Amino acid sequence: MALPGGGQLTERSSMVAVSLEDNGADQSAVSMGASGSGGISQYPGAPKVAKIVVKTVSGRRGQDPVKPPKKLAVFRCNWLCGLFGVRQFPPRGCWLVMDVCGVFCAIFTWLLLVFAEYVACTVILANSESAVFNWIAGAIFHSLIGLSFWSHCKAMFSDPGAVPLGNATEENIRSLGCGSEGADRIVYKCGKCSSIKPDRSHHCSVCRRCIRKMDHHCPWVNNCVGECNQKYFVLFTLYICAVSCFAIFMTVHHFVKCSDWDICRPTLTQPLPIVLLVLLIFESIIFGLFTAIMFGDQIHSILKDQTGIETLKRERHSWKRQSRMSLLEGVFGQPISWRWLSPFSPPSFTKSAPQRLCLYSV
């Protein structure tokens, strides 16, 4: 049986009995056991007992649960790092997925930004005759590079909305209570990370966690794109696309202007600057198109209120529909302001905050 949250429903289930309050009547005992094993019992005259049925969800039918998440590798810093207040890497409370492919892609992204900055400073801006152009173009380019880098770091080191590990305990399940009007409630438990599976959450095989409102796992940011870091990922694609377009403009402007200036002709006759400019154009075109497509796909998913993995699995749209402005505010914060474009400002919710921990319930 396929579930709207992804995965298959196994036959393993358990029930927690939670008594309904009745005027003048004592609450019944709370018990937990396997379904059909007599774990729930009533005595004569006892109040009505509503059940919370816990069903385990696995990735595929008959598939064994994967190994538990690896513990985060912590590296102790030397005395030099201690001068800046850093005692260990990653810092305490920092989210970092220890995936070799993801770490390589993230470092490669940083190197591409450094390469673009180097070519712009040493080849384009250093050989420009106009001081006004240098100041304006340099300020815009450096600002876009800084915003791109910080958006990438925030998307990489921010918790995407991971469900706490092993929270599917009897005490937590009992605290959920029953459904409306004393109806039974079905709570789904992930068989891979032993967590209560919230609404619209999916288990990531790389992070080895259930991620709330998971869109996809992006190796370029070495993290999942989920409920809590989708804003930073959208800004990362936006600023990378913007800096790529501006780099193409600066390169073309450099070739056009230097064809008429004697001061630039010696520079263009050298093979190395020409090779660097060609590589910069190639890099800008490739990643500009890629990030433009990703940015459009993210905005479309937000306005459609359907994540990428939900679209891929063709899951039924069973949740409450909202206006487009409410969907944008649920990602970038409330109300609409310039902070939507700032990776330094986390999303703030001043009105009714979105329901981030809504559970599947029947």
Side-chain angles (χ1 to χ4, degrees):
M1 176 181 177
L3 296 175
Q8 299 288 334
L9 178 62
T10 64
E11 297 180 355
R12 294 174 293 173
S13 63
S14 59
M15 289 187 294
V16 180
V18 181
S19 64
L20 301 178
E21 295 185 1
D22 192 4
N23 295 333
D26 297 333
Q27 295 184 359
S28 63
V30 179
S31 60
M32 183 175 184
S35 59
S37 61
I40 300 178
S41 60
Q42 295 187 8
Y43 50 85
K48 180 182 177 181
V49 176
K51 300 181 295 297
I52 302 178
V53 183
V54 182
K55 296 187 177 182
T56 304
V57 180
S58 61
R60 297 177 182 175
R61 183 176 297 275
Q63 181 184 17
D64 295 332
V66 299
K67 298 179 180 180
K70 296 180 180 179
K71 293 184 178 180
L72 191 64
V74 177
F75 302 95
R76 300 296 176 182
C77 297
N78 53 23
W79 63 270
L80 182 60
C81 298
L83 296 178
F84 300 94
V86 179
R87 302 297 179 183
Q88 65 182 29
F89 182 82
R92 188 179 302 275
C94 178
W95 175 275
L96 177 61
V97 180
M98 303 302 294
D99 179 59
V100 177
C101 177
V103 172
F104 173 80
C105 291
I107 296 177
F108 184 69
T109 303
W110 294 344
L111 293 178
L112 291 176
L113 293 176
V114 172
F115 172 77
E117 182 77 15
Y118 172 79
V119 176
C121 293
T122 60
V123 179
I124 299 178
L125 298 178
N127 297 298
S128 177
E129 193 178 58
S130 175
V132 177
F133 176 81
N134 285 351
W135 279 100
I136 297 177
I140 296 176
F141 187 79
H142 298 330
S143 299
L144 292 176
I145 287 288
L147 292 172
S148 302
F149 175 76
W150 193 251
S151 299
H152 182 271
C153 291
K154 291 289 288 185
M156 178 177 177
F157 296 112
S158 296
D159 186 348
V163 181
L165 285 173
N167 66 345
T169 61
E170 179 181 354
E171 181 180 359
N172 291 337
I173 294 174
R174 190 191 300 115
S175 64
L176 295 175
C178 302
S180 59
E181 299 180 357
D184 296 344
R185 163 173 287 180
I186 298 179
V187 177
Y188 293 105
K189 169 188 173 183
C190 180
K192 299 179 180 180
C193 58
S194 300
S195 302
I196 299 177
K197 200 173 183 66
D199 190 11
R200 304 183 67 180
S201 65
H202 295 81
H203 185 90
C204 177
S205 59
V206 180
C207 299
R208 297 183 181 179
R209 300 284 292 272
C210 282
I211 308 298
R212 299 194 303 267
K213 205 174 178 181
M214 174 182 171
D215 187 86
H216 68 286
H217 184 93
C218 180
W220 294 104
V221 298
N222 188 32
N223 201 359
C224 277
V225 179
E227 186 179 61
C228 299
N229 68 339
Q230 188 174 17
K231 170 190 174 180
Y232 306 121
F233 181 77
V234 174
L235 293 181
F236 168 68
T237 57
L238 172 63
Y239 290 129
I240 288 293
C241 180
V243 75
S244 299
C245 295
F246 196 74
I248 295 175
F249 164 76
M250 292 175 60
T251 306
V252 174
H253 178 273
H254 182 75
F255 275 112
V256 172
K257 291 297 182 179
C258 285
S259 62
D260 298 331
W261 296 345
D262 294 334
I263 189 174
C264 292
R265 286 177 182 174
T267 303
L268 290 179
T269 56
Q270 299 175 10
L272 181 58
I274 298 180
V275 173
L276 293 178
L277 291 174
V278 172
L279 290 178
L280 179 61
I281 291 182
F282 179 77
E283 172 192 349
S284 301
I285 293 176
I286 295 297
F287 287 95
L289 291 175
F290 176 73
T291 53
I293 295 174
M294 289 299 300
F295 176 77
D297 178 73
Q298 287 294 303
I299 296 298
H300 178 265
S301 298
I302 294 173
L303 297 179
K304 193 179 177 181
D305 195 17
Q306 193 167 21
T307 63
I309 193 171
E310 291 170 349
T311 304
L312 183 64
K313 293 185 176 182
R314 298 180 180 180
E315 295 182 1
R316 182 171 55 91
H317 196 294
S318 58
W319 45 90
K320 182 180 179 181
R321 296 185 180 273
Q322 305 179 45
S323 63
R324 293 185 175 181
M325 182 56 65
S326 299
L327 294 173
L328 291 173
E329 290 178 345
V331 175
F332 297 96
Q334 300 172 339
I336 180 174
S337 66
W338 61 269
R339 292 183 176 86
W340 281 22
L341 300 177
S342 173
F344 304 97
S345 176
S348 60
F349 303 97
T350 57
K351 300 178 181 178
S352 57
Q355 307 232 344
R356 298 176 177 269
L357 290 175
C358 180
L359 298 175
Y360 287 125
S361 60
V362 177

